[in-house]
Each structure stands twice: as C-alpha cells, then as structure tokens.
C-alpha cells in the first residue's frame, strides 16, 4: 500500500518520470494524479451547482411569468441535450487545446448563463441562457471530462477514480440543493441564480493553477503505469469526434450502451432532478423538504457510485448494469404510492435506495466503453453520454407536458419504471471483447475478461 501513496522517485524506469531524468519530488505524500483528481472533483462540483437549480425554479417561474411547465421543461431539455451533444467534442477539444483552457472557458459560460437569467423577461431568453450557454458550458465539463482525466492520469484504480469523480456531481447537489432551496424560499429565485454563477467562477482559479493536462507535463508517469511522453496536440478535433462516432456506430455494443444510458438519463436527470420537487410540491410537501430529500439522494449517490467503481474493478460490468437498472425501475414504480405531505419511513427507504443507484451506472458503462474502444473510449463515452442527456431532455420536456395535460406526474413514473426494465435487458446482451485494451494499447488490468465473449 505504501507504493500506492508515494511518488516514484527512482531515476529511469517504469513510473519514475522521463527516461534518463530524475523523477520530481514534491512535499506531498500522494501521487500528483490524486491532486489532479481532487481538482477535477471540485471543478465538477462547481459546474454542477446549476444542475441543482431548474427543479427548484419551475414553480417560481410559472408563478411569476405565467410560463407553462412545458415551456420551462423545454428550456431544461435544451440544456440537457446540448450538455450531452457537447461532451464528445469537448473530449476531443481537450486533446487539442488542453484540459485547463477548455474547462476554464466552460465554467465562465455557466456563470454567464446563470447570471444573465436574472434579467430575463421572456421564455426564449430562458432557452438561450439556460439552454444554450449553460448547456454548452456544463457539457464541456461533463463525464467525458472525468473520463479524460482518468484515462491520462491513472492506469491502476481507474474504476475507483471514475466512481469518485462521478460522485462529484452528487456532492454538488448535496451542497447546493438545500442552500438554493432556502434562498428561493426566503429571497426568491434570482439570488439563487446569482449564487450558482459565483460558484462556477470561484472554481476557475483552481483549474488554472492546479490542473495539468498530462502527467508528462510534470515529469511523471500516470498512477500505476509507465512514463508516456505527452502526445502532440490532436488536430481536427471535430473530425476525429465524428469519425469515432461512425466507427463506434458500426458495432452492436455502442447502440446497446447508448440505448441503456439514454434510459438512465431519462430516469435520473430528466425525471427526478427536474420534476421531483414540483411533484412533491403537488403532494403538499414543502419545497425545502423536497429539496432536502434530493440532497439526501446526493449523499447516498456518493456512496453508491464509489462502491460501484470498486465493484467495476472486480466484477462483470454488464451484470452490474442489469442489477442497477432493474432495481431502479422497481423503485420508480413504487414512488407515487410513497409520496405525501410528510416524510414517512417508506419514503426515506426510497431516497436511500434510489440514491445508491443514481449514477452507479457510470463506472461500469465507462469500463465497457474502455474495454470495447480502447484509446477512443473517452470520445465514445462522450457519445454514449450524449444519448444519456438526450433521454434526459426528452423526459424533462415530456414530464412537464404530462403534468400540464394530466394534472399529475404518475404516468411518467410508471413509464420510467418500464423503460428501466428494458435497459437491464439491453445491458445483459452486450458481448465482451476477448482481449480488452487500454489507452496505451495494452490490456486493461482493471477490466475482467469474459472468456467466452466475442468482439462486438
């Protein structure tokens, strides 16, 4: 274990820094990769601050401007769709221009969109500020950002690190949901929007000062691997992103992963994150209590996602996904029976259960992308994430329409439960590669091999 927490300080040799040059010593007891991971974690929290806001503001915006829930849901759906569609291009842009530049610009866009919304007076402005600016900004810091950092800085512990970084979004929810709910309840929605704008801006200096694009920039090997010289800037980022999509689209696993992950997005960001608070409010639960329940989901999301990363390093990712989706679907079918004005023990059980499952799907999905697509896995995962957000966008919009038409969200919960059953089946039929590869072209030690599997 000591080797896991200390810098390698030999001269030439695996993991020691550039060949023929002494490895750098730092006054820290941990590998620099963990510092980069910590900065990434904080960055995702800052970018996720805005994600706490839309569900809290549906009722206030409806009351102040008279906009329908469908209109507000459309703005949220644009945000989610652009979030997803930007992610694969962001991964390629990070290869071309570096992580620091891309993420710093993205945080600034999130802050600009959140701040500009304070002065909006028409629903089209909501779609520009929330949909366009925030969608592009958060998409550039999406899970593909975590995938890129993990791919470059880690060889060992990839599943664990993926789980930790994925949990950062839930940590942001844990921090900002109760705070923003209190601000909305006591001071109105505009101060809450300013709060999330400031949260995004505060993170920019950390990114610029502490983030590094590649281990070779500081003369180190990735954690658990051998020194690799920094590759030259990737030219034609957009062209490469589209080429990777066309290549992946010719394989069966891509469509199964993308379809299942679209259902994942529909049943989490599109449904729970966007519509749980107004759904609870419809059932006479105070908005601050509903937001606190979402924050509790965030607590158990952190636990569940990190544990899922640990499991992904040890067990078949397909079977993990099938279990996660099946359990999520069952929980959603019971939710309309559990909600009420007060929080009862069955509702607490749902919150804990659902929280553990919220984004536990990410580490095994990313592991399967890495196994199937090697060095292109971050971009492929970006496209799979795009399907996640498109699914979320569709349900964010249709959930609002369903509420306007039926006067209730119940039909949406039942439909989401049925879709999760489909996602479980799709995950089980993915065929494993006989010899998984990592970014360096070698076998990924973190991924198990199904000896009977065939290439997808």
């Amino acid at each position: 274990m000591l080797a896991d927490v200390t810098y390698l300080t030999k001269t030439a040799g695996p993991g020691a820094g550039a060949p023929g040059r002494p490895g750098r010593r730092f006054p820290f007891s941990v590998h620099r990769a963990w510092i980069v991971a910590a900065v990434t974690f904080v960055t995702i929290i800052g970018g996720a601050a805005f994600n706490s806001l839309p569900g809290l503001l549906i009722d206030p915006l409806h009351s102040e401007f008279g906009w329908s829930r469908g209109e507000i849901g459309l703005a949220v759906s644009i945000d989610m769709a652009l979030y997803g569609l930007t992610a694969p291009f962001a991964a390629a842009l990070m290869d071309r221009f570096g992580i620091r530049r891309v993420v710093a610009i993205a945080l600034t866009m999130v802050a600009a969109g959140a701040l500009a919304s304070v002065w909006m007076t028409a629903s089209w402005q909501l779609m520009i500020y929330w949909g366009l600016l925030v969608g592009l900004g958060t998409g550039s810091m999406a899970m593909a950002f975590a995938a890129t950092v993990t791919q470059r800085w880690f060889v060992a512990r990839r599943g664990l690190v993926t789980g930790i970084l994925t949990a950062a979004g839930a940590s942001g929810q844990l921090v900002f949901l109760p705070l923003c709910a209190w601000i909305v309840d006591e001071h109105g929605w505009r101060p809450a929007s300013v709060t999330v704008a400031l949260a995004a801006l505060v993170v920019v200096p950390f990114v610029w000062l502490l983030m590094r694009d590649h281990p070779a920039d500081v003369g180190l090997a990735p954690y658990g691997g051998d020194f690799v010289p920094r590759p030259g800037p990737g030219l034609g980022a957009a062209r490469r992103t589209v080429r990777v999509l066309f290549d992946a689209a010719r394989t069966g696993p891509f469509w199964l992963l993308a379809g299942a992950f679209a259902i994942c997005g529909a049943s989490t960001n599109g449904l729970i994150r966007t519509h749980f608070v107004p759904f609870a409010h419809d059932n006479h639960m105070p908005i601050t209590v509903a937001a606190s329940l979402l924050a509790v989901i965030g607590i158990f999301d952190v636990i569940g996602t990190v544990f899922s990363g640990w499991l992904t390093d040890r067990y078949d990712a397909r079977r993990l996904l099938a279990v996660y989706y099946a359990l999520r679907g069952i929980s959603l079918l019971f939710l309309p029976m559990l909600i009420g004005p007060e929080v009862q023990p069955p509702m607490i059980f749902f919150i804990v259960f659902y929280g553990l499952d919220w984004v536990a799907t990410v580490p095994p999905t990313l592991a399967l992308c890495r196994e199937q697509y090697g060095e292109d896995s971050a971009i492929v995962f970006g496209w799979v994430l795009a399907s996640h957000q498109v699914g979320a966008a569709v349900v964010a919009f249709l959930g609002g329409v369903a509420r306007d038409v039926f006067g209730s969200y119940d039909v949406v919960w039942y439909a989401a439960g049925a879709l999760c059953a489909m996602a479980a089946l799709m995950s089980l039929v993915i065929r494993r590669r006989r010899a998984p590869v990592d970014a360096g072209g070698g076998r990924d030690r973190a991924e198990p091999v199904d000896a009977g599997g065939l290439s997808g």
Side-chain angles (χ1 to χ4, degrees):
M1 292 300 295
L2 184 60
D4 287 344
V5 296
T6 58
Y7 274 109
L8 296 173
T9 57
K10 300 177 183 177
T11 54
R21 185 176 66 190
R24 297 188 180 187
R25 292 179 182 268
F26 291 88
F28 303 103
S29 60
V30 294
H31 191 286
R32 180 63 176 266
W34 294 106
I35 298 173
V36 171
V39 175
T40 304
F41 187 90
V42 173
T43 301
I44 295 173
I45 288 177
F50 181 85
N51 293 331
S52 305
L53 205 55
L56 300 175
L57 300 194
I58 289 178
D59 285 338
L61 292 177
H62 174 70
S63 299
E64 180 172 337
F65 298 108
W67 301 336
S68 71
R69 289 174 175 83
E71 284 181 290
I72 301 169
L74 179 58
V76 178
S77 71
I78 293 171
D79 164 53
M80 290 181 174
L82 284 177
Y83 175 105
L85 294 172
T86 302
F89 292 95
L93 287 172
M94 287 175 190
D95 286 344
R96 175 67 178 88
F97 298 106
I99 296 174
R100 285 198 301 174
R101 290 194 185 108
V102 172
V103 173
I105 293 172
L107 286 165
T108 304
M109 291 178 69
V110 172
L115 193 59
S117 67
V118 170
W119 294 283
M120 65 186 176
T121 56
S123 60
W124 66 265
Q125 294 171 325
L126 178 69
M127 295 172 193
I128 295 294
Y129 302 148
W130 280 19
L132 183 62
L133 286 176
V134 175
L136 291 174
T138 53
S140 298
M141 297 178 296
M143 294 174 192
F145 169 40
T148 301
V149 170
T150 305
Q151 190 84 355
R152 292 184 184 183
W153 281 91
F154 291 87
V155 174
R157 306 291 190 271
R158 276 181 174 170
L160 176 63
V161 175
T162 299
I164 292 172
L165 295 183
T166 302
S171 300
Q173 175 177 294
L174 171 63
V175 172
F176 288 101
L177 257 173
L179 174 63
C180 289
W182 177 81
I183 293 173
V184 169
D185 196 46
E186 296 292 328
H187 304 287
W189 65 269
R190 288 179 176 84
S193 192
V194 172
T195 299
V196 300
L198 293 176
L201 287 177
V202 164
V203 180
V204 175
F206 290 93
V207 172
W208 199 255
L209 295 175
L210 299 177
M211 177 65 70
R212 292 297 180 268
D213 293 330
H214 196 277
D217 292 347
V218 288
L220 291 173
Y223 180 80
D226 298 334
F227 181 85
V228 179
R230 175 173 178 156
L235 301 177
R239 184 167 58 251
R240 180 191 173 201
T241 301
V242 174
R243 176 185 59 77
V244 169
L245 171 63
F246 281 116
D247 289 344
R250 291 198 290 267
T251 66
F254 174 79
W255 292 106
L256 292 169
L257 286 167
F261 220 41
I263 294 171
C264 178
S267 57
T268 53
N269 291 354
L271 189 55
I272 293 289
R273 178 170 285 166
T274 305
H275 294 293
F276 178 79
V277 171
F279 166 66
H281 192 57
D282 283 349
N283 288 272
H284 312 293
M285 182 180 289
I287 186 172
T288 51
V289 175
S292 297
L293 290 177
L294 275 185
V296 174
I297 285 179
I299 296 174
F300 289 95
D301 182 14
V302 173
I303 298 170
T305 307
V306 174
F307 185 54
S308 177
W310 183 86
L311 290 174
T312 301
D313 285 335
R314 290 160 175 79
Y315 299 102
D316 188 338
R318 301 169 303 170
R319 292 181 174 86
L320 291 175
L321 284 177
V323 171
Y324 297 158
Y325 286 127
L327 293 177
R328 181 184 300 175
I330 292 170
S331 68
L332 289 173
L333 292 175
F334 280 96
L335 179 58
M337 306 175 220
L338 304 178
I339 197 72
E342 298 179 353
V343 180
Q344 301 294 333
M347 189 64 197
I348 296 174
F349 179 79
F350 168 83
I351 292 298
V352 173
F353 187 87
Y354 193 86
L356 291 171
D357 191 71
W358 178 276
V359 287
T361 54
V362 173
T365 300
L366 181 52
L368 288 170
C369 287
R370 192 178 294 127
E371 173 190 302
Q372 295 283 341
Y373 304 106
E375 64 182 8
D376 289 330
S377 61
I379 296 177
V380 173
F381 180 72
W383 284 114
V384 172
L385 177 63
S387 72
H388 180 282
Q389 293 305 112
V390 169
V394 170
V395 171
F397 173 61
L398 292 182
V401 172
R403 171 62 177 80
D404 290 333
V405 173
F406 300 110
S408 168
Y409 283 106
D410 288 358
V411 66
V412 186
W413 304 116
Y414 298 139
L419 286 173
C420 286
M422 289 179 55
L425 292 174
M426 293 168 73
S427 301
L428 282 175
V429 299
I430 296 171
R431 307 186 85 179
R432 302 294 295 273
R433 290 184 68 91
R434 188 175 295 275
V437 295
D438 65 12
R443 184 160 168 166
D444 190 339
R445 70 190 69 183
E447 308 300 340
V449 179
D450 183 349
L454 299 176
S455 173

